[in-house]
Amino acid sequence: MAQDVSDGIAGVPIMIAIRLLDEDCNPVTDASVDIWHTLPKGIYSGEAANLAFCTDNDADAIAHEYFRGVQYSDANGVVRFFSCYPGWYSSRTVHVHVTVRRGSGDYTGQTEFLTTQLIFDDTISTDIYAKVAAYARTSSRDTFNTNDSVFSASNYQDYLFDMTRMADGSLVCAKTLILRKSTSGAVCSVGGSGGPGDGGMGPPPLPDAG
């Protein structure tokens, strides 16, 4: 069952689907997955994000937890979130933060296993920002996948969502992540897989997100 993290905020609807596999390509069913990303106007929400560069001191954003959520992976290792396409901010390409934790099922007692970011096709981002009113800005986007401050031009493709545009204009954004005990060996072969990345900029997930 998908979790809606948009709280009715206007924007291009997306479904974020993340599949977790272990090194033998078996589903990881005992993991919690946090996601968090910006509002369409390019700021984060929540008290934990109350920094000028994160919230632009927007009182409504600070008081709420828009576009933040937690799901537990199902029998297929999958989590799903209904959301809206993120906005952009200076020095970063368009991205979603992801933290995966495994443990006993007690969120507070789990050990962090993976923190990464996933990114979007620049062509789709440019099209949305030019045509959809919710994303209108007076300034122009200055950072793309090829000149981002976290991803390099040589490996950003590993972190791209597989994106499908639906007939109603919404987008399905899917990614498979392989959870590894070590980065020294080969991983199983599976389409859409990505490795762990640097947490980069942006506020951390809230303990009670979702």
Side-chain angles (χ1 to χ4, degrees):
M1 181 177 180
Q3 177 184 2
D4 188 343
V5 298
S6 67
D7 289 325
I9 300 292
V12 173
I14 63 174
M15 184 178 75
I16 296 173
I18 298 173
R19 178 174 58 162
L20 305 177
L21 301 178
D22 64 19
E23 293 172 288
D24 297 317
C25 284
N26 298 312
V28 175
T29 62
D30 59 348
S32 66
V33 180
D34 288 80
I35 67 161
W36 67 105
H37 65 77
T38 61
L39 281 73
K41 54 186 175 181
I43 61 175
Y44 289 95
S45 68
E47 291 182 2
N50 190 11
L51 299 172
F53 78 90
C54 287
T55 65
D56 199 27
N57 293 319
D58 185 296
D60 181 68
I62 293 169
H64 294 87
E65 296 176 8
Y66 302 130
F67 303 110
R68 294 174 173 272
V70 179
Q71 284 274 291
Y72 282 87
S73 52
D74 65 16
N76 297 311
V78 175
V79 295
R80 298 177 179 86
F81 300 88
F82 291 128
S83 191
C84 292
Y85 204 86
W88 63 270
Y89 58 91
S90 182
S91 83
R92 288 306 321 278
T93 195
V94 186
H95 60 281
V96 172
H97 296 265
V98 180
T99 294
V100 180
R101 295 178 176 88
R102 303 182 74 181
S104 64
D106 177 4
Y107 180 87
T108 60
Q110 290 178 323
T111 300
E112 185 172 310
F113 195 86
L114 166 68
T115 296
T116 190
Q117 296 177 25
L118 301 175
I119 57 179
F120 299 82
D121 183 280
D122 275 330
T123 302
I124 293 176
S125 296
T126 298
D127 185 60
I128 288 173
Y129 297 155
K131 296 178 180 178
V132 181
Y135 299 88
R137 305 276 287 277
T138 56
S139 55
S140 298
R141 182 178 170 213
D142 61 2
T143 309
F144 301 84
N145 293 335
T146 53
N147 67 334
D148 184 61
S149 59
V150 170
F151 300 102
S152 71
S154 63
N155 77 349
Y156 76 85
Q157 295 95 336
D158 294 336
Y159 300 85
L160 282 168
F161 277 113
D162 296 319
M163 300 176 66
T164 303
R165 192 185 295 272
M166 308 306 288
D168 62 359
S170 64
L171 295 165
V172 175
C173 307
K175 192 68 174 175
T176 295
L177 299 178
I178 298 172
L179 305 186
R180 305 173 64 185
K181 296 178 181 178
S182 169
T183 58
S184 61
V187 297
C188 68
S189 177
V190 62
S193 63
D198 189 331
M201 292 178 62
L206 302 180
D208 59 346

